[in-house]
Amino acid sequence: MGSATSPVPVVLRCGEVRTCLLPTSRPPTAEDTARLLSLRLGEPVQLSARPIRHALSPPLLTGVDCALPTADGTKIRAVGTVVSRASVTEGRVVQAGAFTSVPLLGPGSRRPWWHHLARPGVVEPLGKLPEPAVAQGFLTACGPEELDVGLIAEGLLTEVLGHPLLDHRPPLRTPRTRLRWVASRPADGTTAPAVRFTVAGDGLRTVELRLPAAIEPPVIAAFCADLALHDWLLTALTGLLDEAPPRGAPGEFLRTALRPAAGHLLHLWMPAARPDPRLLPLWEALERTPGFTRQWRSLAQRVRDLLVLYSLPGTGAPGGPRRTFRRPHQHRRRQ
C-alpha cells in the first residue's frame, strides 16, 4: 500500500474557473452559505471572515477515462480524477473550479480505479505525455471525446445555482466569465514564477503559468480562482459603464446599474487576500501589466462620478436632491 499512495511527480497542472454573480436579491448569511456549499455529506465548508468573507466547499472527485486535448492532434488516452470545488465571496460572487495534474510518464495500460482514487486530482497518460501539445490543447477548445475540465466546473456551478436558497433575483445584470489555466515547468530550469494573462473574448480568459513542480495544484487553483474573481469584477464594471445612457435618460440606469454596482461590487476588490507567498510575484507581475488595480480604480471612480452626476437636480434621475422654491409672502401695508 505504501507505493500505491506515494506522490506522483507531475509536469502539467491545468484547470478552469467559472465565475458569476450569485443570483439572489440579498447576500446569504454565513450559515446559509455553508448550506449552499455543503456538497458532500459530513464534509465541512471552509468559512473565513477576514480580510473578506469567503466560503469554500469540500472537494469533489470526478473520474475520467478519455483522450487528452492536444494542439497538434496527437492521440493520447488518460485515466484518473479531477478535483472540483465551489466558493462564494462576500455572499455575492459564486465560483466553480475544476483542476487536475498530469505526470510526464504514465503506465502502459489502464490501472484499477483504487489506484487512481489513492491519487486524487491526478490524470495519468497511458504512455509518455507530449507536454507542450497538451498544454496548448487545454488552453484551446476541447473536442467532444477529450478531457474538458470546464464542463466539470460548469456542472458544479449549475448544481450550486439550483439550490432552493436562491431566489434568482440578482440586484443587477452581469456577465459570466471562464478562466482557463495551465501551469507548466519553467522551460529554462529557473524557479522564478511567470504568468501570461490573455482576454480571449466571449467571456473566456486564458492564463499560462510557469511554476516549479513543487507548488501544489490546490495552491495554483486558489490563485487562479482569485484572479478569475478580480477579472470578473473588472469585466462587470466595464460592461456596466459601456451601457451608460446619454445625460438625458439617467433614471433607469441609476436605479438598475449604478446604485447596485456601488452597493454590491465596489467593496469586493481585494486581490491576494489569502496569498501563498510563493505566488506573490505573479500578482506583482499582473499589477504591472495589465495593471489590474489601476484599471479597477479608474472604473470605480467613474461609477462614483456618475452617481454624483446623475443625482444632481435637473438630470431627471429619481432620488436626487431636490430644491423647493416658495413664493415670498407679501405683507399688505395697512392704511
Side-chain angles (χ1 to χ4, degrees):
M1 289 298 292
S3 59
T5 57
S6 58
V8 177
V10 299
V11 296
L12 195 64
R13 294 137 291 176
C14 56
E16 189 163 325
V17 186
R18 306 286 175 105
T19 307
C20 68
L21 189 70
L22 193 66
T24 184
S25 53
R26 294 179 176 235
T29 63
E31 293 76 12
D32 284 344
T33 303
R35 290 172 55 197
L36 186 69
L37 298 181
S38 295
L39 304 177
R40 287 178 58 182
L41 187 63
E43 293 285 339
V45 173
Q46 297 180 15
L47 299 173
S48 58
R50 296 182 181 181
I52 191 169
R53 285 198 301 129
H54 186 262
L56 182 64
S57 78
L60 303 178
L61 288 183
T62 301
V64 295
D65 182 349
C66 57
L68 292 175
T70 56
D72 58 4
T74 302
K75 303 297 183 181
I76 182 165
R77 180 183 170 192
V79 184
T81 58
V82 175
V83 178
S84 58
R85 305 186 84 166
S87 66
V88 174
T89 301
E90 276 292 326
R92 270 304 168 208
V93 183
V94 59
Q95 295 180 284
F99 65 92
T100 193
S101 303
V102 190
L104 181 62
L105 189 64
S109 60
R110 193 183 187 284
R111 289 175 174 173
W113 272 113
W114 62 259
H115 166 85
H116 299 290
L117 292 175
R119 294 162 171 79
V122 175
V123 172
E124 292 183 342
L126 301 187
K128 187 176 181 180
L129 178 74
E131 185 180 353
V134 173
Q136 287 303 309
F138 270 116
L139 290 177
T140 57
C142 300
E145 303 298 326
E146 297 173 340
L147 176 60
D148 189 343
V149 293
L151 287 181
I152 297 175
E154 183 64 27
L156 178 57
L157 181 62
T158 300
E159 180 181 350
V160 173
L161 295 182
H163 200 285
L165 279 172
L166 305 176
D167 61 20
H168 293 276
R169 292 189 291 117
L172 72 165
R173 292 185 299 109
T174 56
R176 290 192 183 190
T177 58
R178 300 171 290 145
L179 185 142
R180 192 175 296 160
W181 60 270
V182 167
S184 306
R185 296 173 299 175
D188 56 2
T190 64
T191 58
V195 57
R196 181 181 180 184
F197 175 82
T198 304
V199 177
D202 194 27
L204 175 65
R205 287 83 172 94
T206 61
V207 177
E208 297 176 73
L209 301 163
R210 294 288 182 178
L211 296 171
I215 298 182
E216 302 83 356
V219 173
I220 305 173
F223 164 82
C224 290
D226 198 15
L227 174 56
L229 168 66
H230 290 83
D231 169 75
W232 179 86
L233 287 169
L234 285 171
T235 303
L237 277 200
T238 300
L240 180 149
L241 292 171
D242 284 346
E243 297 178 0
R247 182 179 172 86
E252 185 71 8
F253 185 64
L254 181 68
R255 182 181 64 84
T256 63
L258 287 179
R259 286 175 179 164
H264 298 285
L265 299 184
L266 293 192
H267 65 291
L268 299 184
W269 189 263
M270 197 174 294
R274 293 168 299 278
D276 185 291
R278 295 170 294 177
L279 298 186
L280 283 177
L282 298 181
W283 277 114
E284 294 168 358
L286 291 168
E287 292 294 8
R288 290 192 298 271
T289 306
F292 269 36
T293 298
R294 290 196 305 272
Q295 296 178 43
W296 175 258
R297 287 172 179 166
S298 176
L299 292 170
Q301 187 58 51
R302 189 177 172 203
V303 168
R304 296 185 182 100
D305 290 344
L306 289 176
L307 276 171
V308 173
L309 175 65
Y310 289 169
S311 297
L312 292 175
T315 62
R322 298 180 179 179
R323 295 181 181 179
T324 302
F325 295 93
R326 296 182 179 180
R327 296 181 62 186
H329 182 70
Q330 295 182 355
H331 297 275
R332 305 182 79 183
R333 188 174 181 181
R334 300 180 68 178
Q335 299 293 331

